[in-house]
Amino acid sequence: MNILLLGSGGREHAFAWKMIQSPLCDTLFVAPGNAGTAQIAKNIDISATDFDAIKTLVIKENIEMVVVGPEDPLVKGIYDFFLNDKELKDIPVIGPSKIGATLEGSKEFAKEFLMKHNIPTAAYDSFTAETVEKGCQFLETLQPPYVLKADGLAAGKGVLIIQDLAEAQSELRNMLVHQKFGAASSKVVIEEFLDGIELSCFVLTDGKSYKILPTAKDYKRIGEGDTGLNTGGMGAVSPVPYVDAVLMEKIENRIVKPTIEGFQKDGIPYKGFVFIGLINVNNEPIVIEYNVRMGDPETEVVVPRLKSDLVELFLAVANEKLDEFNLEIDERSATTVMIVSGGYPEDFEKGKIITGLENVTDSIVFHAGTKLDNGNVVSNGGRVMAITSYGDNFQEALDKSYKNVNQLHFDKMNFRKDIGFDLI
Ligand code: AMP
Ligand code: GLY
């Protein structure tokens, strides 16, 4: 079958790498893709949110399945666009419906879903410009630090954690009245602060049953020791060594099962990934957010650990046969280290020629922000490439990733030298 994958990051290169290994995959198209996907699939230069252009492509190229990488097309309703179109309605889209994607698109919607289905989450209330003074009073009833979350999509920047009450009140006004995050902060969720270790749980569902995918931990801050600004993610490790069977059972029974049952009870069509952000407070997992897609760079360590055929797995999702699917996982550890443009996550330059790719051995290079320019691979974004390796344990895998990172060069290249530091 011909398949279309939407997106252009390291996540999408990892999906593409795995999907083309399937005998079920004839031609894989990636829109818009990057220099890495161009080497193994057919890049199409259209945006992942240009639904009309996607429709034309799907019909012209006889595409029989669409896999959605990032959240934007999902939140904009690509699943419903296909379902409501006479010519597209029988083509499966791997990703939730628009209402399902609202779990990531609106923090308030996610909180209401969590409360309604008795899934453990931090206490909260939400406010608008009209109720800003009530929000300021609500902050006075909480203990610091104060957690303020822009309701809508804000590219991972919409969450503020503030120690000082007066500062929290002033930031709340900035968000609600002065639109600090644009329309995304026209509503703000104020949440109880949870003190614990963060972890993520990745689930794939066909709306009825589900499979829990390997655990992974990412490193979000730009600086060593988890310092400095937040990024999309600077590296990842799978599995997470401290997640044991007891904790996984709590996560499954208290969080995953009621989430999938909640989709059914609320009539939310959901055939795709659920990425559940958790904080482990004294061995009690509590949900801090839902994402409706896989993580990036978590995908670059989770997908390489799937032994099963990914296209077959997606077909099981589309056909609601996930309960019959035998998901096989590679026992080895996988790690990835992101190389990024100097300056990222603030201003950075693009178009730097990347050298040394031919010297990489024993690792998989997943491209993120790259493009081809006159035969050269050049940087084209903040996060440039993820260098993934396997090992019998995460240290062995990390040694390989770092050995190969050191083979690669471009002007002002940066990376974190301490991925996995907190796991030893
Ligand atoms: P989110 O976009 O909801 O994942 O929030 C971004 C980051 O803020 C998370 O990765 C956590 O580090 C932190 N965070 C969010 N909610 C809370 C909370 N209730 N308590 C403590 N930290 C939080
Ligand atoms: N790495 C975190 C995310 O994809 O949201």
Side-chain angles (χ1 to χ4, degrees):
M1 66 194 301
N2 293 342
I3 304 172
L4 171 63
L5 170 64
L6 298 179
S8 62
R11 168 181 50 212
E12 286 74 25
H13 192 186
F15 277 145
W17 169 85
K18 184 70 181 166
M19 284 198 285
I20 58 154
Q21 294 174 37
S22 169
L24 295 168
C25 181
D26 294 319
T27 304
L28 176 67
F29 296 87
V30 189
N34 59 36
T37 60
Q39 287 163 8
I40 57 172
K42 204 164 169 0
N43 279 4
I44 305 286
D45 191 18
I46 57 177
S47 152
T49 52
D50 186 346
F51 296 175
D52 290 327
I54 290 169
K55 174 177 174 174
T56 306
L57 175 73
V58 164
I59 290 168
K60 176 169 161 246
E61 300 292 355
N62 265 318
I63 285 163
E64 289 171 276
M65 178 159 73
V66 178
V67 178
V68 187
E71 63 277 17
D72 282 7
L74 294 167
V75 173
K76 293 205 167 95
I78 190 157
Y79 179 95
D80 309 67
F81 176 82
F82 270 65
L83 202 63
N84 296 327
D85 186 292
K86 269 205 295 287
E87 292 167 281
L88 302 178
K89 67 178 179 13
D90 295 324
I91 298 166
V93 173
I94 304 302
S97 59
K98 184 169 184 171
I99 183 75
T102 311
L103 286 174
E104 178 164 357
S106 163
K107 303 259 185 209
E108 186 187 44
F109 180 85
K111 294 298 284 192
E112 284 170 354
F113 179 89
L114 288 159
M115 299 302 261
K116 179 172 176 192
H117 298 292
N118 283 315
I119 301 168
T121 189
Y124 82 105
D125 206 343
S126 60
F127 301 91
T128 60
E130 285 73 49
T131 56
V132 61
E133 290 314 316
K134 279 211 179 92
C136 289
Q137 287 160 18
F138 180 67
L139 283 169
E140 286 168 17
T141 69
L142 301 176
Q143 296 298 313
Y146 306 94
V147 183
L148 308 183
K149 299 187 172 186
D151 179 61
L153 291 183
K157 296 189 181 114
V159 177
L160 302 180
I161 298 180
I162 300 169
Q163 278 297 333
D164 180 66
L165 176 64
E167 191 187 333
Q169 290 171 324
S170 142
E171 283 295 354
L172 181 66
R173 288 195 180 91
N174 279 339
M175 288 167 92
L176 289 174
V177 183
H178 306 296
Q179 310 253 312
K180 178 167 178 149
F181 299 107
S185 69
S186 57
K187 206 180 268 172
V188 172
V189 167
I190 300 180
E191 200 172 84
E192 164 200 13
F193 179 81
L194 301 172
D195 193 7
I197 304 173
E198 265 181 69
L199 65 136
S200 305
C201 174
F202 301 98
V203 182
L204 184 61
T205 181
D206 59 9
K208 293 181 172 155
S209 66
Y210 62 85
K211 297 284 176 203
I212 297 183
L213 303 176
T215 57
K217 182 178 194 305
D218 84 334
Y219 291 81
K220 282 210 181 80
R221 302 295 195 90
I222 187 69
E224 266 103 43
D226 285 342
T227 54
L229 294 174
N230 260 325
T231 70
M234 296 293 290
V237 174
S238 176
V240 184
Y242 59 75
V243 179
D244 59 14
V246 178
L247 181 60
M248 262 332 279
E249 204 180 297
K250 285 185 189 170
I251 294 173
E252 178 160 13
N253 289 327
R254 298 178 192 173
I255 294 165
V256 177
K257 277 191 188 146
T259 297
I260 308 302
E261 285 165 11
F263 295 158
Q264 288 173 294
K265 286 181 191 156
D266 292 357
I268 297 175
Y270 206 117
K271 292 184 174 186
F273 292 99
V274 196
F275 161 177
I276 310 174
L278 304 162
I279 294 192
N280 187 18
V281 184
N282 302 320
N283 279 317
E284 304 300 324
I286 302 181
V287 177
I288 50 166
E289 67 164 346
Y290 285 115
N291 294 304
V292 298
R293 50 171 174 87
M294 275 299 290
D296 190 354
E298 292 93 327
T299 308
E300 291 94 301
V301 291
V302 169
V303 162
R305 294 190 59 227
L306 303 181
K307 286 210 268 189
S308 307
D309 181 317
L310 187 57
V311 176
E312 237 174 76
L313 181 61
F314 286 149
L315 281 174
V317 169
N319 299 324
E320 297 178 11
K321 293 265 167 58
L322 205 49
D323 55 337
E324 294 166 21
F325 195 89
N326 177 30
L327 184 66
E328 286 184 84
I329 306 296
D330 191 325
E331 286 307 312
R332 289 176 295 173
S333 289
T335 58
T336 201
V337 176
M338 270 284 174
I339 60 174
V340 306
S341 302
Y344 172 78
E346 296 183 285
D347 291 347
F348 56 83
E349 293 163 24
K350 295 183 188 178
K352 308 288 186 189
I353 295 176
I354 299 156
T355 60
L357 285 161
E358 67 287 359
N359 301 328
V360 172
T361 50
D362 241 10
S363 288
I364 313 164
V365 174
F366 292 124
H367 290 228
T370 66
K371 67 173 188 182
L372 287 172
D373 184 26
N374 283 324
N376 293 313
V377 176
V378 303
S379 64
N380 192 39
R383 295 192 295 169
V384 176
M385 288 176 174
I387 316 303
T388 294
S389 316
Y390 295 102
D392 289 335
N393 51 56
F394 77 88
Q395 278 115 327
E396 198 183 295
L398 269 175
D399 288 345
K400 287 185 202 164
S401 287
Y402 279 118
K403 184 189 85 187
N404 285 308
V405 163
N406 287 313
Q407 300 296 323
L408 299 173
H409 300 281
F410 62 88
D411 183 32
K412 304 195 176 75
M413 173 176 126
N414 186 25
F415 60 94
R416 256 181 77 167
K417 293 159 194 73
D418 69 341
I419 299 304
F421 78 99
D422 54 343
L423 304 176
I424 299 158

